[in-house]
Amino acid sequence: MQHLLSQIKACFIVAELPAQLHRSKERFCERDDSLALKRLTQIALAMLGGALLLWLVAGYHGAFHLLNQFTPCFPATFWQIVTFMGDTTFVLTLALLVARRKPELLWVLFIAAIYGTLATHGLKTLFGAERPPVALLSGEYNLVGKALRNGSFPSGHSFTAFAFVAVAYYFFNHRLLRIGLLLSGGLIGLSRVMVAAHWPVDVLVGGALGMLVTVAAIKTAKLSDIGFRRPMHLFIVFLLLVAALMIMSGHTGGYPQAQLFAKVIAFAVLLVFVCEYFLPARHPGPR
């Protein structure tokens, strides 16, 4: 029993979490990558400009058939996996991987999620745009997964994907990684057209909002340190765990062929989480 108690007292979540949160707060306050924020804003504005130009030239449905016709070039499983990577539960699950090392990232992501929920759901309710399966006749397009009907504008998956991309872009200053993140976000956004869930305009606007909201979330997070207090941090971690458990329980967002991939990722993430938070912290010995 004494050995068990000593193990519990030595685990990260009990012994070292407060100190880690304090270091995270100091690191976040000292970080001022204004160039990254500027680039994210520029990319977002370029996407909004592209959406406006596309709408003016070809209308709201513009470029859908041009892109969707290439859906059969890749297996349906591929598109289902890629598009599910923009699902909120999947993105929140991935965030668990950096929960211990970068609590500041979780705080920004939490604020961005609040802003994003208000923005995307507000716009969806306001416009009530029909999705491709409603606006087009069967046989005029390639459908992958569940046929969605309303709330097309803007794309929530694109918002979520690019919000996560923007957060990671800001906190990980590595050129190739940043390029990879932007390309991944673009692929997820493209998949929403390929599976006939959204129009290209939806994707461009959703992705742009994701980045702009994240920039706002970063600035907001610097105004309060509540996200670096243990109760709030554990609450955010709890929400991420709920997302991971939803995937483990079979959530697919209407894309069942992505289930195996999603469960493998969720299981691996949960394993990493348990090891990092509940096993005794390891410190390198003297050399």
Side-chain angles (χ1 to χ4, degrees), residues 87-191:
D87 190 276
T88 301
T89 58
F90 186 81
V91 168
L92 294 180
T93 298
L94 283 184
L96 272 177
L97 287 173
V98 296
R100 186 186 75 82
R101 298 178 185 85
K102 288 188 175 293
E104 65 270 31
L105 188 151
L106 265 61
W107 177 222
V108 171
L109 193 63
F110 178 74
I111 296 175
I114 295 175
Y115 288 171
T117 299
L118 295 174
T120 57
H121 286 276
L123 289 173
K124 284 178 180 291
T125 302
L126 177 63
F127 289 96
E130 295 179 341
R131 296 179 187 255
V134 176
L136 302 175
L137 296 175
S138 178
E140 290 184 346
Y141 60 95
N142 295 296
L143 176 67
V144 177
K146 182 181 179 181
L148 302 175
R149 304 187 66 81
N150 299 314
S152 188
F153 180 85
S155 168
H157 279 63
S158 299
F159 173 91
T160 301
F162 275 96
F164 185 77
V165 164
V167 172
Y169 186 100
Y170 180 78
F171 285 106
F172 295 96
N173 187 13
H174 190 283
R175 183 172 179 271
L176 291 180
L177 176 60
R178 285 178 167 180
I179 292 174
L181 286 167
L182 291 172
L183 291 176
S184 298
L187 181 61
I188 294 172
L190 174 64
S191 74

Side-chain angles (χ1 to χ4, degrees), residues 63-73 140-142 193-194:
F64 174 81
H65 290 293
L66 177 65
L67 298 172
N68 182 260
Q69 66 177 321
F70 294 108
T71 297
C73 292
E140 290 184 346
Y141 60 95
N142 295 296
V193 178
M194 307 307 272

Side-chain angles (χ1 to χ4, degrees), residues 13 35 84 140 216 244 270:
I13 196 171
L35 181 59
F84 185 74
E140 290 184 346
L270 288 170

Side-chain angles (χ1 to χ4, degrees), residues 21 224-234:
L21 291 174
S224 173
D225 65 349
I226 189 174
F228 301 99
R229 299 175 188 174
R230 182 153 56 173
M232 176 57 77
H233 175 76
L234 292 178

Side-chain angles (χ1 to χ4, degrees), residues 51-69:
L52 178 60
L53 181 62
L54 179 60
W55 177 71
L56 291 173
V57 173
Y60 177 52
H61 299 170
F64 174 81
H65 290 293
L66 177 65
L67 298 172
N68 182 260
Q69 66 177 321

